[in-house]
Amino acid sequence: MSSQGVQPVKGMNDVLPDEIHRWQFLESTVRELLHAYGYDEMRVPVVEHTDLFKRAIGEYTDVVEKEMYSFEDKGGERLTLRPEATAGIVRAMISNGLLRGARHKLWCVGPMFRHEKPQKGRFRQFHQIDVEAVGFAGPDIDAELIALTAAFWQRLGIGRARLQINSLGTAEARRDYRAKLAAYFREHEAALDEDSLRRLEGNPLRILDSKNTDMQAVIAGAPLLPEHLDAESKAHFAELCAMLDALGIAYEINPRLVRGLDYYSRTVFEWVTDALGAQDAVCSGGRYDGLISQLGGEATPAIGFAMGVERVVALIEQAGTAPAAAAADVYLVAQAEAPLRTAMRLAEALRRELPARRIELNLGGGNFKAQFRRADRSGAALALVLGDDELTRGVVQMKPLREGLGDPAEVTIDNASTAVGAWLATRRP
Ligand code: ATP
Ligand code: MG
């Protein structure tokens, strides 16, 4: 193997055991909350036909133009590592015949792949929690979905996230606006970069989404979309705002929020933070009433969002709200041979009878001094000690490993599980 073989792929990260507790805190909180709001988990493949993403996301997007991991497999199929989850979920709804007028509240979590320039908060493999409500026209579901995201931050202890919302109107209403926007940018062609010149013909709305700092002035002068909304979209948006007000959820209306992907209509929203530097979007979503029919399913309104797990984990780290990393509860210290074999049986019994507890048995031998050193490092509150003498008498020593946990005690091996369970219940609930 060349030395390159043991380097990680650029922009793809390992999540090491000393940070996993923050991921688990996020995942378990999200799982609980989505359950409470009536969403069911589903899982879709990481790989789909390239054509699906081209059709779903749109040709004139950074994702499709530059960022997809596409390849031809050994059978000559054009495939892509998913850059986002909505397309795959919609594909699954269609190919499994789940639409037919039904309504679904779904979510999934997993890795996404985009060939971007890696930097803080921006990676080539990253993770999203993706939530979709299919078959609902809103605006009630729009408000409830946003309330769900607000509840995330609250449960995760994250204070530094602000909500921005906007309405993109319907695709028809957008056509008008698109024409006006194209006319404006044509007048300012000299200020546009190469990507924007290409998008000017294909989809000028995408220019508003440009991250090029040199273009922010020309973007700031562009006509605004809300002034061109159709009456129904205006009413939809007004009702959404009234519902958010009723829920006490603060928001800013950002008329320039158009979102990176092509398929949105009406409600779009984004949670941004000032705590992560340039990568400020932590959760983005919107309504996509036209996507399902565009992909060949029966016309079905839908709304969803994706949360960037790495960025939220960084916020959790800053806030310090994740419960501490896992530590052992009990560490068994045993003399070689016969006592060790008994300790092994005792460890198995403890794991069976105290399934929520972390029970570590000293492995790889060592004298008592070395074993106690390991016991200490394991974070355990209690050591169970078994030597030849204890074995002969059928007992085991319970030795608290931290100050203030009481005195050592001796119990019979037969009673050890019960005694340890009671001991932990009062000291480490
Ligand atoms: P950005 O403006 O930061 O590029 P985006 O508009 O491309 O984001 P979406 O496609 O809406 O993002 O994805 C939803 C969320 O996924 C984002 O809000 C962000 O938190 C996260 N995300 C997107 N791309 C990356 C990436 N390359 N690395 C880490 N997180 C990402
Ligand atoms: Mg992006």
Side-chain angles (χ1 to χ4, degrees):
M1 184 161 69
S2 73
S3 69
Q4 204 192 1
V6 293
Q7 295 301 317
V9 176
K10 193 174 166 195
M12 306 208 178
N13 301 314
D14 304 305
V15 181
L16 298 179
D18 67 351
E19 47 189 340
I20 201 74
H21 63 293
R22 287 186 278 272
W23 287 66
Q24 290 171 341
F25 174 52
L26 168 63
E27 286 163 12
S28 60
T29 305
V30 156
R31 200 173 283 278
E32 247 177 56
L33 207 55
L34 285 160
H35 173 79
Y37 277 79
Y39 286 79
D40 293 316
E41 184 175 358
M42 81 181 267
R43 300 183 186 190
V44 290
V46 169
V47 179
E48 299 274 358
H49 293 289
T50 301
D51 185 51
L52 173 73
F53 298 115
K54 283 194 176 162
R55 283 167 61 196
I57 299 172
E59 299 273 357
Y60 297 95
T61 54
D62 281 348
V63 172
V64 170
E65 281 178 341
K66 309 179 208 168
E67 297 173 358
M68 294 210 297
Y69 278 89
S70 298
F71 59 96
E72 195 169 304
D73 78 355
K74 291 205 162 67
E77 298 226 62
R78 298 291 312 159
L79 304 176
T80 294
L81 300 184
R82 65 179 179 197
E84 53 98 61
T86 307
I89 288 184
V90 170
R91 193 273 308 139
M93 308 245 75
I94 298 172
S95 55
N96 291 285
L98 299 182
L99 291 171
R100 311 209 166 108
R103 314 199 300 174
H104 299 278
K105 290 160 91 178
L106 305 165
W107 70 279
C108 77
V109 55
M112 308 294 155
F113 302 85
R114 297 183 191 178
H115 198 272
E116 306 199 56
K117 193 162 151 255
Q119 50 199 288
K120 185 168 173 271
R122 189 175 296 285
F123 311 105
R124 290 182 173 175
Q125 175 179 295
F126 62 101
H127 296 74
Q128 285 183 341
I129 288 161
D130 188 76
V131 180
E132 313 287 351
V134 177
F136 301 83
D140 48 4
I141 187 79
D142 308 23
E144 191 188 76
L145 200 70
I146 291 174
L148 162 64
T149 55
F152 277 145
W153 315 131
Q154 202 246 326
R155 291 243 190 137
L156 296 170
I158 291 170
R160 291 171 74 179
R162 291 183 348 260
L163 172 63
Q164 302 195 333
I165 60 173
N166 191 24
S167 176
L168 299 182
T170 58
E172 302 80 67
R174 242 176 10 236
R175 261 194 286 279
D176 265 5
Y177 171 63
R178 191 190 278 222
K180 292 207 173 68
L181 201 59
Y184 167 83
F185 281 125
R186 232 170 260 124
E187 280 166 33
H188 295 85
E189 256 188 45
L192 301 185
D193 62 14
E194 197 183 310
D195 281 344
S196 302
L197 286 172
R198 192 171 55 244
R199 288 167 194 186
L200 181 53
E201 298 318 316
N203 185 354
L205 243 81
R206 292 278 70 82
I207 301 176
L208 297 179
D209 214 29
S210 165
K211 289 194 169 61
N212 185 345
T213 44
D214 295 341
M215 280 186 32
Q216 296 313 310
V218 64
I219 289 173
L224 293 177
L225 193 148
E227 291 157 18
H228 299 85
L229 281 192
D230 54 293
E232 257 184 80
S233 296
K234 269 189 188 148
H236 186 113
F237 192 59
E239 185 55 25
L240 169 64
C241 292
M243 285 169 168
L244 293 176
D245 292 338
L247 290 167
I249 296 170
Y251 55 89
E252 298 155 30
I253 297 174
N254 176 358
R256 285 175 215 289
L257 182 64
V258 295
R259 306 281 311 101
L261 310 181
D262 235 359
Y263 48 60
Y264 292 106
S265 56
R266 294 207 168 132
T267 308
V268 286
F269 65 95
E270 187 153 273
W271 286 90
V272 294
T273 179
D274 58 8
L276 297 179
Q279 271 38 265
D280 63 350
V282 287
C283 174
S284 320
R287 174 161 288 289
Y288 53 91
D289 292 344
L291 177 65
I292 297 177
S293 57
Q294 186 184 311
L295 292 179
E298 61 215 75
T300 310
I303 182 166
F305 69 80
M307 182 188 284
V309 174
E310 281 79 358
R311 293 182 195 176
V312 178
V313 164
L315 291 178
I316 290 172
E317 185 174 5
Q318 283 184 14
T321 47
D329 291 303
V330 177
Y331 195 98
L332 287 96
V333 167
Q335 223 172 323
E337 304 197 21
L340 173 60
R341 288 193 293 265
T342 300
M344 222 168 215
R345 284 215 319 270
L346 179 55
E348 291 298 312
L350 287 168
R351 289 165 184 149
R352 222 170 23 245
E353 281 159 47
L354 306 172
R357 298 298 186 174
R358 189 155 170 155
I359 313 292
E360 286 210 47
L361 169 67
N362 184 76
L363 300 172
N367 58 27
F368 274 3
K369 193 169 163 220
Q371 294 196 32
F372 269 104
R373 225 179 7 250
R374 291 183 193 137
D376 222 37
R377 275 202 301 264
S378 76
L382 182 69
L384 294 182
V385 188
L386 228 140
D388 284 325
D389 170 55
E390 280 82 8
L391 187 61
T392 318
R393 297 192 292 118
V395 298
V396 54
Q397 308 289 339
M398 292 173 51
K399 285 218 159 90
L401 290 169
R402 306 269 175 274
E403 294 291 320
L405 293 179
D407 297 322
E410 187 176 285
V411 289
T412 64
I413 293 173
D414 291 343
N415 281 333
S417 288
T418 316
V420 168
W423 191 94
L424 287 172
T426 55
R427 290 160 178 91
R428 199 177 256 195

